[in-house]
Amino acid sequence: MSSTSTLHKHVAVIGSGFAGLSAAAYLAKAGCEVSVYEKNETIGGRARQFKTDNGYTFDMGPSWYWMPDVFDRFFGDMGYKPSDFYQLQALDPQYAIVFGKDDVFEVPANLEELINLFDQTEKGGAAALRYFLSEAKYKYNIGINKLVYKPGLSVTEFADMDLAKGLLRLQVFTSLSAHVKKHFKNAKLRALMEFPALFLGAMAEDTPALYSLMNYAGLALGTWYPAGGFGSVISAMKTVAERQGVKFYTSAKVKGFDIKDKKISQIHTSVGDDTVDGVIGSADYHHIDQQLLETQYRNYTPAYWQNRVMAPSALIFYLGVKKKIARLKHHNLFFDEELKTHAHEIYREPQWPSKPLFYVCCTSKTDNTVAPAGHENIFILMPLAVGIIDTEELRSRYFDLIIKRLEAYCGESISQDIDYKKSYCIADFQADYNAFGGNAYGLANTLRQTALFKPSIRNKKVENLFFAGHLTVPGPGVPPAIISGNVAAHQLLKYLKS
């Protein structure tokens, strides 16, 4: 976005996650005076970090650095490179999928090694993977360069020759599950190819095959780790925004708005009132729509929101362990129980899972700054249905279940060596982020919740209010959040210049 000094407008951004930071930076670069209001004590939203008194540094949420080109584009638009702020390390193996104690599939960073591994696992696996990834690359190039930067306000946005010609290849109307089954017979290979659907917040049967682009992102573009954790990326984006003149206010809860002639004229916060020309709502869309706006200014009814298909919440444990655990990799996906059963208990009959899958991130395998010497920094995440009961007793019960399975896999005790433990679940997502249903990821990327069918990036009744984040376009995940901030900023700028 080209900078201009003629646009003297004041904009408030609600929320300082990836979407809010992105929107603030783009708006400030265009000449706006920007204030970011964050209800928590530190910025970053779900990507906040916290440090313990005994030497651990935990990323609270995101831990997968995929789609590095999206980060490159953001920093490039601001005149920088990611390496101006943080260093990336390619993970090898990218991640390990645990199917059983002695049954582990490690995904190598080298694509040819991965292709060979597929061939060893299934007859014709190499050819199948090459073809699958060639299709996924096409979807990625079209999806990332064209689809995800569309605001989703009109069907005419998609009257594009490349999109029209490629509609069948994009496989919007085929499920990811059917697409994977067409190419691979081996159950483990299918699990490997379907697991990104968990990050997209839906069962593979309900996720469009378009999203096999995530397989290309993960398998071909690599899995990376930013030194210092995702807090380093948040810090970098904040620095870029501040250099553009953005001002940040923390412990600043937004209480409401003054609206005149279908425009927000003032935003009311716990640190004072602010006269504005426009607002980007990058905090929880449902909260802004249903709690901060008066009924006549809301985009949607309560019934609309109740009918949305939500991505999961999560039960998270942050653990400090006072010894090294040899068998863990940086990323470990425990698929030693039935995926369909767990998914059914998230999406079809919401309940605490009977035999949960879970994910373990051990950043201290890569970064010696996140734990004391000789210790491990462990993040455990179990996907969970939104809107269900969350109690300390349930958290404790599932911790015991998970830690026993983890100890059995690692072949050593862990629980007796824990010197830091903190849990985080539905109630915390609601308290910290006003998260609708206590969601962790936003809306599920089902066909009926893709592009035009997502909650609108624009408020239809308040002309200068636009939304960003994982409840609007393009969807859940860190790169989509960064893109969402970009798209929302462009839409607000178009309005301000009109």
Side-chain angles (χ1 to χ4, degrees):
M1 184 186 297
S2 59
S3 179
T4 173
S5 58
T6 59
L7 191 65
H8 296 297
K9 302 288 186 180
H10 181 56
V11 176
V13 175
I14 306 171
S16 68
F18 281 108
L21 290 170
S22 173
Y26 280 105
L27 288 164
K29 186 167 176 60
C32 294
E33 179 188 330
V34 182
S35 298
V36 176
Y37 294 96
E38 169 56 55
K39 75 179 284 289
N40 292 307
E41 293 178 4
T42 56
I43 70 156
R46 285 163 169 75
R48 290 179 298 158
Q49 266 188 348
F50 72 91
K51 297 179 186 294
T52 71
D53 292 338
N54 58 341
Y56 295 98
T57 300
F58 290 99
D59 281 326
M60 293 191 69
S63 59
W64 292 76
Y65 195 105
W66 275 3
M67 302 163 68
D69 49 315
V70 174
F71 298 85
D72 293 345
R73 178 167 176 169
F74 169 80
F75 286 105
D77 285 348
M78 301 299 146
Y80 301 99
K81 304 184 296 297
S83 58
D84 293 329
F85 303 97
Y86 57 87
Q87 298 302 311
L88 286 176
Q89 180 173 337
L91 299 181
D92 192 9
Q94 297 190 52
Y95 47 94
I97 301 183
V98 178
F99 295 104
K101 181 173 174 60
D102 300 309
D103 190 1
V104 183
F105 198 105
E106 293 186 1
V107 178
N110 182 282
L111 187 55
E112 286 303 315
E113 288 181 26
L114 179 64
I115 289 169
N116 291 336
L117 191 55
F118 267 61
D119 220 30
Q120 293 164 20
T121 307
E122 177 174 289
K123 185 178 180 180
L129 181 60
R130 287 185 194 278
Y131 183 77
F132 188 95
L133 288 180
S134 71
E135 289 291 292
K137 181 179 181 179
Y138 173 83
K139 295 172 192 173
Y140 187 87
N141 288 335
I142 293 293
I144 296 303
N145 294 322
K146 291 184 177 289
L147 280 176
V148 296
Y149 285 92
K150 305 284 188 188
L153 295 173
S154 167
V155 71
T156 59
E157 295 169 21
F158 303 94
D160 176 291
M161 283 304 292
D162 286 338
L163 289 178
K165 285 189 297 184
L167 190 59
L168 288 175
R169 286 186 71 186
L170 291 175
Q171 296 182 297
V172 175
F173 302 108
T174 302
S175 78
L176 179 62
S177 177
H179 182 54
V180 168
K181 285 177 181 173
K182 179 181 173 183
H183 292 84
F184 307 102
K185 296 181 176 63
N186 183 278
K188 293 172 189 174
L189 297 186
R190 286 179 177 178
L192 167 62
M193 304 310 274
E194 289 184 5
F195 106 80
L198 292 177
F199 289 80
L200 299 168
M203 294 178 72
E205 298 96 291
D206 300 324
T207 301
L210 164 67
Y211 292 105
S212 68
L213 64 86
M214 293 294 289
N215 295 108
Y216 176 76
L219 299 177
L221 299 181
T223 303
W224 303 79
Y225 175 74
F230 266 83
S232 297
V233 187
I234 289 292
S235 178
M237 292 180 71
K238 181 189 181 197
T239 298
V240 164
E242 287 179 327
R243 289 179 183 176
Q244 306 285 357
V246 176
K247 294 179 181 175
F248 288 88
Y249 300 90
T250 53
S251 299
K253 183 178 180 180
V254 174
K255 299 178 176 180
F257 312 102
D258 283 343
I259 300 175
K260 297 176 183 175
D261 301 322
K262 296 183 178 180
K263 300 180 185 70
I264 295 176
S265 57
Q266 271 205 330
I267 180 171
H268 302 295
T269 82
S270 59
V271 295
D273 299 337
D274 195 0
T275 301
V276 297
D277 298 296
V279 174
I280 297 282
S282 79
D284 186 88
Y285 193 141
H286 172 267
H287 174 73
I288 296 171
D289 188 56
Q290 298 292 295
Q291 302 299 322
L292 298 185
L293 288 169
E294 295 176 14
T295 305
Q296 67 268 32
Y297 297 120
R298 293 170 186 168
N299 255 359
Y300 301 105
T301 64
Y304 169 89
W305 285 109
Q306 289 304 322
N307 287 327
R308 293 312 91 195
V309 180
M310 300 304 296
S313 185
L315 171 60
I316 299 171
F317 295 103
Y318 310 96
L319 305 180
V321 181
K322 54 186 179 182
K323 70 175 185 178
K324 304 305 282 186
I325 303 170
R327 202 166 186 202
L328 286 180
K329 304 300 181 186
H330 188 113
H331 293 301
N332 311 264
L333 294 154
F334 282 78
F335 276 49
D336 49 341
E337 295 289 1
E338 176 59 48
L339 170 59
K340 284 189 177 180
T341 302
H342 191 163
H344 185 85
E345 292 166 344
I346 292 174
Y347 302 111
R348 298 282 193 266
E349 295 183 42
Q351 60 188 283
W352 283 77
S354 53
K355 295 181 177 180
L357 283 67
F358 58 95
Y359 158 65
V360 177
C361 181
C362 188
T363 50
S364 46
K365 293 294 179 187
T366 306
D367 189 341
N368 61 14
T369 69
V370 299
H375 292 218
E376 299 283 30
N377 174 313
I378 295 178
F379 169 102
I380 298 173
L381 182 148
M382 182 187 80
L384 191 63
V386 298
I388 60 176
I389 191 169
D390 168 21
T391 67
E392 287 299 327
E393 189 276 330
L394 280 164
R395 295 187 192 195
S396 179
R397 186 195 310 171
Y398 277 83
F399 176 76
D400 291 342
L401 183 156
I402 289 170
I403 208 72
K404 284 174 184 171
R405 277 169 57 190
L406 188 58
E407 288 177 329
Y409 169 72
C410 292
E412 58 182 300
S413 65
I414 296 173
S415 55
Q416 66 187 31
D417 292 297
I418 292 171
D419 64 349
Y420 182 83
K421 176 185 172 188
K422 174 184 172 74
S423 67
Y424 200 93
C425 197
I426 290 171
D428 301 298
F429 282 105
Q430 291 172 323
D432 288 352
Y433 311 120
N434 296 308
F436 181 41
N439 80 83
Y441 297 102
L443 283 184
N445 268 339
T446 61
L447 176 58
R448 293 181 180 180
Q449 294 182 164
T450 295
L452 297 171
F453 306 117
K454 287 190 185 292
S456 177
I457 201 168
R458 172 173 62 87
N459 185 288
K460 300 159 191 171
K461 300 169 186 176
V462 182
E463 295 176 4
N464 60 347
L465 172 59
F466 293 81
F467 295 93
H470 64 201
L471 287 175
T472 185
V473 292
V478 173
I482 293 171
I483 293 167
S484 183
N486 178 337
V487 175
H490 276 83
Q491 291 303 305
L492 178 54
L493 288 168
K494 188 184 293 186
Y495 165 78
L496 293 173
K497 292 174 181 177
S498 63

